[in-house]
Amino acid sequence: MGVLERDIRCSAATETAPARKTRRAPSREPRYRVILHNDDWTPMDHVVSALMKVIPRLSLRRAVSIMLEAHTHGQAVVTRCHKELAELYREGLKAEGLISTIEPDS
């Protein structure tokens, strides 16, 4: 066995596992609601597609439900998340021509 082979075997054999496994702690940041407001000029199909484009995990069924709630009640909660993400979603909806706001989730 050559010197290089012995060094590779030794270094591989001396690796140790971490002493303890780490877990991600749940976020303690306050949550915010992203609220979609109704308007009288945006087509319903555009609202649905914009919601699905801006909020990645949103299903078609949920997007339609949010659109209909905003249409009939004047506003609808799109999602609840931490402030930075809520601001990102608000800006994304604005870029799609929709009116939305964020507020602390009480």
Side-chain angles (χ1 to χ4, degrees), residues 63-98:
V64 169
S65 175
I66 292 167
M67 179 275 299
L68 288 173
E69 184 178 342
H71 179 70
T72 56
H73 297 340
Q75 65 183 27
V77 175
V78 177
T79 189
R80 291 173 169 85
C81 54
H82 61 84
K83 186 176 184 179
E84 187 176 321
L85 190 55
E87 290 171 343
L88 180 70
Y89 289 158
R90 179 186 62 200
E91 292 304 313
L93 293 171
K94 180 180 178 182
E96 293 294 323
L98 304 180

